[in-house]
Amino acid sequence: MKQLVKTTRVSILACLILVIAGVNSFAQEPQWKLTLEKGVEWTKYTPNKILLVGSTDWGLHGVDATTGKLLWSNEDLYNSAKALKGPDGKKVGYTPDLIRVLEDPNDPSISDYAIVKYTDNILVKNFVVINIRTGELVINPKMAGMPVVKIIGPEQATFNYEGSDYIPELKGVIITASWEDLTKAGKPYMQITKFIDLATGKIAWESDQFSSKFLPVVTDDNHLLFIGEKTSAKINSKTGQPFWTFEVAEKKNNFEAFDANIRLTEGYFYQKKGNQGVVSAVELSSGKVLWEKPLATKDAPVLTAENFGVIVADEKNFTLMEAETGNTKWSAKKLSGIVVDLGRDRGIAVGEKDKYLTVLDKNTGAEKWSQKIKGIQIDQLTGAGIMYLDENGSVGLIDFEGNLKWGGKDMIQGPVLRVKPALDREIFYADEKVYLVNLVNGEKNVIVNKVEFEEKETPDALEFTGSNFVLSSSQNMIGFDESGNILFKEHWASPKISLAGRIALRTMQVAMVAMASAAAYQQGLTQGSAFAPTSISKQYGYQREFFEDMAGAFGQAANQRFKASKSRGLFNFILTDVGEGVGLVKVDKVSGKEVGKIVLNDKEPIYDSDPENGMIFYKPTKKEVYGYLF
């Protein structure tokens, strides 16, 4: 019995030594430590190596991500966001999505600036441009001298939310507003617009002659097209002077719908005039009214401009007005949905009520063909036809004659991951297979037939690094080339302690990539009011023209518009047992090899990372952020 006791004591001592060794293994020193008096709520790493930190008191802080030095703090910048509520009436919560860091591939200094912008469309509205390196407020409506208007809620400087933002082509900020002045007799309609140089924060020009309800369009000659409720104008971007203006016929009325063709040569306006509605065609280079046609409708129609005319869809009719004369060329049965010109004589496609895809003859309005598919949504145009999604997220292809090129069981079965290395081809992962799709001819080939991950994981990220593709999950990575050759296949076992179960955010901080043009097209599925230009149709137009003229000059322009999806960083970070304890391995995405490791505490999830330089920003406690470099 004594021997047993002695052995037990030795065993206990040995265990204590192991525990102490284990604890010490977690004592790896970070590059820097930051402690905030209030709790750390979120972090956001920016391209210029600034770590934005949101604290639990709704403060915002800027940290040098390399040294951990606290550069600035602002307790008021973000504060009103705590009152935001979602469509369900519940508070939105603290999110970094309300802050947009600006980027310009040709000017890295632009990423020293960020826009804080949010609204609940009722009481809360905020718009601030901030220098995230210094914490200095560059501009906001109040600083710009916009008028203070109080109708309901807190007193604030007024601005049109959708019309005020950064314009990258001009490296400046537009702040624009329109309102009725209730303090003056007759409640006059007021407008004001100010253009602010981003670098200096100074007002370059201002005018009380025009405003815009959505962000002004930059024209081919680098000037600005403003579409307001009562005044539309082309403005000299350097001086703020109008080249032309187009006013509503009666001041009591508004422009209620607008769209412009893909080349921005003609714009189409709908307004009330007398007892009827009117559609006007305006030459956007000169402001000349080309024609004006009456329209009998109760509600504002949706206008879809094409080079051959404008499609007017109201509560009863779906009508094509000719570009040159405005004469009604044809009227079709009532249709509703995204309108897409398929080019040449292929017709006009309309996605209807998530049930039908209908194509009309653009010369007669007659139905050429229709496909009924539950949940159908137009995804993109290809050289071989219309790519679409069904209710399950599966991807199919209909040729321009209405035949299912991929349909039913031959679809790429969703849900899918996708990445587009070039405008004419796309890589899909779905149902344990990797597909290469030629977007010119519609050919679809399986290049990796069976993807199996350890621990029964399912891939949740597909990336193009610029030289290879990476398919990954939390603990697995596969690298392959466009021919389907497997370059590497690696697995890192999940930690055997409870840390894995407590990680709230995925530790592999990849830049989740999706095919750039498809993402733009999907935005069109939630397109705004009839007043706003349908940018979705413009994106389809660019895609259509590219495939119509693959070898021509426009093909080059289209490729310039399209930027192939590439991961910002060269590394993934994966949570696993690193020998001395649980931590992260740093994995090169091109080779699949480990190039570093780090041991972490078993408390909180990683909050952010810099995959380009290999830094991890880790939250060990509620009030701290540690920066690790490896």
Side-chain angles (χ1 to χ4, degrees):
M1 181 62 69
K2 290 182 179 179
Q3 183 64 35
L4 179 61
V5 171
K6 182 178 180 181
T7 303
T8 302
R9 286 174 178 171
V10 171
S11 300
I12 292 172
L13 181 60
C15 288
L16 287 173
I17 292 172
L18 288 173
V19 168
I20 293 170
V23 171
N24 287 338
S25 71
F26 280 88
Q28 187 168 343
E29 280 298 307
Q31 187 85 356
W32 53 259
K33 299 179 181 180
L34 172 71
T35 302
L36 294 180
E37 183 178 343
K38 302 293 182 179
V40 175
E41 189 69 23
W42 60 267
T43 63
K44 183 185 185 81
Y45 178 76
T46 70
N48 282 10
K49 298 181 176 57
I50 301 295
L51 187 69
L52 296 176
V53 181
S55 51
T56 53
D57 61 346
W58 293 83
L60 185 64
H61 313 267
V63 178
D64 185 319
T66 304
T67 65
K69 179 183 178 181
L70 181 63
L71 302 175
W72 53 268
S73 293
N74 190 310
E75 297 179 357
D76 301 321
L77 180 65
Y78 207 64
N79 207 264
S80 61
K82 63 187 176 185
L84 289 180
K85 293 183 180 179
D88 57 1
K90 296 181 179 179
K91 287 189 175 182
V92 172
Y94 210 148
T95 165
D97 294 337
L98 304 178
I99 297 177
R100 185 174 88 249
V101 179
L102 304 180
E103 293 192 46
D104 185 334
N106 300 315
D107 188 355
S109 69
I110 295 299
S111 289
D112 280 349
Y113 301 92
I115 289 179
V116 180
K117 189 177 182 184
Y118 50 84
T119 183
D120 64 356
N121 297 307
I122 302 174
L123 297 178
V124 180
K125 189 165 67 170
N126 195 15
F127 174 52
V128 177
V129 182
I130 185 173
N131 184 317
I132 59 174
R133 192 170 296 281
T134 65
E136 176 187 4
L137 302 187
V138 178
I139 201 71
N140 61 25
K142 187 175 181 180
M143 290 172 61
M146 300 297 280
V148 174
V149 176
K150 179 178 173 59
I151 299 175
I152 187 173
E155 192 174 82
Q156 59 184 353
T158 189
F159 65 100
N160 292 345
Y161 187 81
E162 299 297 337
S164 303
D165 214 311
Y166 172 66
I167 299 181
E169 296 92 334
L170 304 178
K171 295 187 179 180
V173 175
I174 284 286
I175 302 181
T176 183
S178 55
W179 73 101
E180 288 184 352
D181 192 339
L182 303 179
T183 65
K184 295 182 180 179
K187 302 176 183 177
Y189 181 78
M190 309 294 290
Q191 300 184 92
I192 189 167
T193 295
K194 303 193 180 190
F195 181 80
I196 297 96
D197 178 73
L198 180 66
T200 64
K202 294 181 178 179
I203 297 172
W205 54 259
E206 60 183 287
S207 175
D208 62 0
Q209 301 301 306
F210 54 86
S211 60
S212 189
K213 294 301 292 183
F214 53 86
L215 193 63
V217 176
V218 179
T219 58
D220 288 343
D221 53 1
N222 222 35
H223 294 298
L224 292 167
L225 184 63
F226 280 75
I227 309 298
E229 286 183 327
K230 299 183 185 295
T231 304
S232 295
K234 182 177 179 181
I235 302 301
N236 187 313
S237 61
K238 296 180 179 179
T239 66
Q241 295 300 310
F243 292 108
W244 55 261
T245 60
F246 178 53
E247 306 280 348
V248 289
E250 301 173 4
K251 289 298 183 181
K252 64 180 180 180
N253 294 330
N254 296 330
F255 291 125
E256 297 180 44
F258 170 80
D259 197 20
N261 62 19
I262 189 174
R263 301 295 188 181
L264 291 180
T265 55
E266 282 88 43
Y268 301 90
F269 296 80
Y270 171 80
Q271 62 175 304
K272 293 288 187 181
K273 190 173 183 180
N275 296 323
Q276 63 184 5
V278 171
V279 175
S280 304
V282 175
E283 186 177 67
L284 295 180
S285 60
S286 66
K288 177 184 177 182
V289 178
L290 301 175
W291 50 259
E292 209 169 66
K293 293 292 180 180
L295 186 68
T297 180
K298 293 180 180 179
D299 300 317
V302 175
L303 304 181
T304 304
E306 300 293 349
N307 290 330
F308 52 84
V310 57
I311 296 167
V312 182
D314 60 24
E315 69 277 5
K316 292 183 179 181
N317 301 305
F318 189 87
T319 301
L320 175 64
M321 291 182 169
E322 293 180 321
E324 292 183 359
T325 64
N327 294 333
T328 296
K329 189 166 186 177
W330 49 256
S331 287
K333 67 177 184 179
K334 177 67 178 82
L335 298 172
S336 62
I338 295 172
V339 178
V340 180
D341 174 22
L342 300 180
R344 297 176 183 166
D345 60 351
R346 296 165 180 160
I348 301 167
V350 185
E352 294 184 78
K353 302 176 182 177
D354 294 337
K355 291 182 180 180
Y356 295 90
L357 179 63
T358 300
V359 173
L360 306 179
D361 187 305
K362 69 172 66 174
N363 294 311
T364 66
E367 182 178 302
K368 296 185 69 171
W369 55 263
S370 185
Q371 282 281 358
K372 183 178 181 180
I373 298 172
K374 198 170 182 180
I376 189 169
Q377 298 174 351
I378 299 174
D379 178 66
Q380 64 172 315
L381 297 185
T382 74
I386 305 168
M387 192 174 287
Y388 68 92
L389 303 176
D390 69 7
E391 63 177 348
N392 299 315
S394 297
V395 182
L397 183 65
I398 302 174
D399 69 21
F400 291 116
E401 285 71 48
N403 303 306
L404 291 174
K405 195 171 178 69
W406 322 332
K409 294 181 180 179
D410 195 38
M411 297 175 72
I412 298 178
Q413 301 299 319
V416 302
L417 300 174
R418 58 201 295 183
V419 67
K420 197 171 186 183
L423 191 58
D424 60 350
R425 59 193 183 275
E426 185 173 2
I427 299 289
F428 289 83
Y429 166 79
D431 196 25
E432 299 185 335
K433 298 181 180 67
V434 177
Y435 300 82
L436 171 63
V437 175
N438 184 316
L439 297 176
V440 178
N441 58 30
E443 289 184 359
K444 166 172 60 76
N445 295 302
V446 175
I447 59 173
V448 181
N449 192 43
K450 185 75 171 177
V451 176
E452 291 184 298
F453 277 177
E454 300 290 336
E455 302 185 41
K456 298 182 179 180
E457 285 191 338
T458 300
D460 59 12
L462 175 61
E463 299 174 81
F464 176 54
T465 68
S467 58
N468 69 312
F469 301 90
V470 179
L471 191 63
S472 55
S473 63
S474 186
Q475 307 301 136
N476 293 269
M477 285 177 62
I478 290 179
F480 58 93
D481 63 21
E482 202 165 290
S483 298
N485 298 312
I486 302 299
L487 306 176
F488 61 85
K489 181 178 181 181
E490 301 292 345
H491 165 247
W492 292 265
S494 297
K496 297 175 183 177
I497 62 173
S498 61
L499 177 61
R502 291 207 290 274
I503 290 291
L505 300 178
R506 180 177 170 183
T507 56
M508 186 170 55
Q509 297 288 335
V510 297
M512 295 295 287
V513 291
M515 187 264 287
S517 55
Y521 299 154
Q522 291 307 307
Q523 293 175 3
L525 300 176
T526 56
Q527 63 184 359
S529 68
F531 185 79
T534 53
S535 60
I536 175 70
S537 65
K538 304 301 177 286
Q539 293 296 329
Y540 282 127
Y542 293 136
Q543 185 89 338
R544 181 198 75 228
E545 291 193 7
F546 170 77
F547 286 116
E548 286 183 353
D549 189 11
M550 283 289 294
F554 191 83
Q556 297 178 1
N559 270 317
Q560 289 173 2
R561 281 193 189 91
F562 171 79
K563 296 179 181 179
S565 299
K566 295 181 182 179
S567 168
R568 177 182 298 282
L570 298 176
F571 309 108
N572 278 354
F573 303 98
I574 299 177
L575 182 73
T576 189
D577 191 327
V578 295
E580 300 85 10
V582 173
L584 294 173
V585 290
K586 175 182 171 184
V587 182
D588 185 294
K589 295 177 186 177
V590 176
S591 68
K593 296 186 180 298
E594 294 182 20
V595 293
K597 65 180 180 178
I598 196 166
V599 183
L600 296 175
N601 253 325
D602 179 13
K603 289 186 178 180
E604 291 284 335
I606 295 123
Y607 257 51
D608 212 337
S609 72
D610 167 12
E612 190 171 8
N613 298 294
M615 283 202 75
I616 288 293
F617 309 107
Y618 175 73
K619 181 183 173 184
T621 69
K622 292 182 178 181
K623 295 186 176 183
E624 294 178 297
V625 177
Y626 289 180
Y628 288 92
L629 179 64
F630 66 106

